Amino acid sequence: MYSKEQIIAQILTGKPNGVQLEKGAVYAPANIALCKYWGKRDSILNLPMTSSLSISLAQKGSHFAFEVVDEKTDCLNLNGQSIDAQHDFYQRLFSFISLFRHNGEPRLNIAITSTIPIAAGLASSASGFASVVKGLNELYGWQLSCSELSLLARLGSGSACRSLWDGFVEWQHGSRDDGMDSIGIPLEYKWPQLRIGLLLASSDKKSISSREAMAITKQSSSLYHLWPEQVATDLAMIKSALAEKDFIALGHASERNAIAMHATMLKAKPAISYSNAKTAAWVQQVWQLRVDNMPIYFTQDAGPNLKLLFLEDSTDDILQLFPEVEIIQPFLIEA
Ligand code: PMV
């Protein structure tokens, strides 16, 4: 078993370790997994049991601004609000950043502006940690590649290793104990007509963290032994659907994968459910729309919110049927 510090030392060997830039700002997009990561083979390094595949959300993500300060403590501002040092988020963020600092130096003022609800299962930890490692890369002038930053981001949150790129990204699970081959790989496929509809069922903090829920599921769900095979099937189908631009195949495989993940959690002891009444009603609505021949699918992460998958030409219908939806164009990427 390796520690995070050992892995970081391996990646940063020969890189500068003093401040190169006193002030800077970076951005990383959120990502939604079409084939999910659920369960770790190493919970320190966030090494997954299986590979996964995501789509990044372009302008939905985390803006991260840093400034070196001559103070005794760090300051954190989240979406315009000052965050207390006792807060979970403050502690998680600075304990990660401290892996890269020497005796807590340099002290930092950090401002994170998230364009998605934090901790509502909308992958904000993914864009958050990806933006942190991009910020540290600027601060220290490491000049790391996106692949190296992906390895570092994974140490903060597994799914963050997919948020270093726009578009489709596969996280290959890898087999090495040090995780050096467990990394995000950007995929070539472009699909400008693809749309993601965000349906917010609640922006409250999730009832149980994904870290805890994964561990309980892996340990106690009688369905977990089926998960790796499910992922292998769904991942192959999703990749061939992307290659052939077959939306129905993409939608089916993505929705089936999300349902399998949540079913596996329901069989954990104790059972874990992230859905609420709104989630359940939207799922029924999507299924009914498909009976009525509308090409619409959903996926759901570790929270009650639903993400609709559809194509550009369904946009008007979707806006009418789901007035509260927020539509993302993953390939509308601002320069
Ligand atoms: O990286 P974490 O610990 O936030 O876990 C992400 C888990 C899911 O969002 C449910 C699936 C995924 O692959 O993003």
Side-chain angles (χ1 to χ4, degrees), residues 121-272:
L122 279 177
S124 50
S125 71
S127 58
F129 282 100
S131 71
V132 171
V133 297
K134 281 174 112 171
L136 293 172
N137 191 42
E138 298 287 311
L139 171 79
Y140 288 113
W142 294 325
Q143 300 192 334
L144 295 177
S145 65
C146 285
S147 304
E148 290 167 311
L149 291 174
S150 172
L151 290 171
L152 294 180
R154 170 170 48 73
L155 302 177
S157 164
S159 55
C161 79
R162 300 184 306 236
S163 271
L164 276 304
W165 298 271
D166 285 309
F168 298 105
V169 179
E170 181 176 354
W171 172 9
Q172 297 187 342
H173 62 80
S175 55
R176 288 173 57 144
D177 287 345
D178 64 3
M180 289 299 173
D181 56 354
S182 184
I183 193 167
I185 309 272
L187 303 176
E188 292 294 297
Y189 314 112
K190 302 265 182 286
W191 202 333
Q193 299 80 14
L194 186 68
R195 298 288 181 273
I196 311 280
L198 301 183
L199 284 173
L200 211 60
S202 161
S203 47
D204 296 347
K205 196 172 184 296
K206 42 182 124 170
S207 49
I208 171 168
S209 70
S210 50
R211 164 172 290 273
E212 218 181 321
M214 276 183 209
I216 295 173
T217 311
K218 185 181 164 208
Q219 203 188 347
S220 68
S221 171
S222 58
L223 293 180
Y224 195 77
H225 69 287
L226 299 172
W227 178 244
E229 206 181 307
Q230 178 78 48
V231 168
T233 307
D234 295 339
L235 193 60
M237 179 162 277
I238 289 172
K239 283 165 89 171
S240 96
L242 294 179
E244 287 162 27
K245 277 213 172 161
D246 179 343
F247 178 70
I248 304 295
L250 178 76
H252 264 301
S254 306
E255 187 176 296
R256 181 179 62 203
N257 184 263
I259 290 172
M261 179 181 82
H262 287 279
T264 309
M265 278 188 238
L266 275 175
K267 285 284 269 173
K269 295 182 196 75
I272 298 165

Side-chain angles (χ1 to χ4, degrees), residues 278-296:
K278 275 192 176 175
T279 324
W282 283 325
V283 165
Q284 293 300 329
Q285 195 178 349
V286 168
W287 286 341
Q288 183 57 49
L289 288 168
R290 280 222 299 279
V291 170
D292 301 339
N293 281 324
M294 189 166 169
I296 171 176

Side-chain angles (χ1 to χ4, degrees), residues 25-39:
V26 294
Y27 171 78
N31 74 74
I32 301 285
L34 301 175
C35 188
K36 311 290 186 192
Y37 144 59
W38 199 253

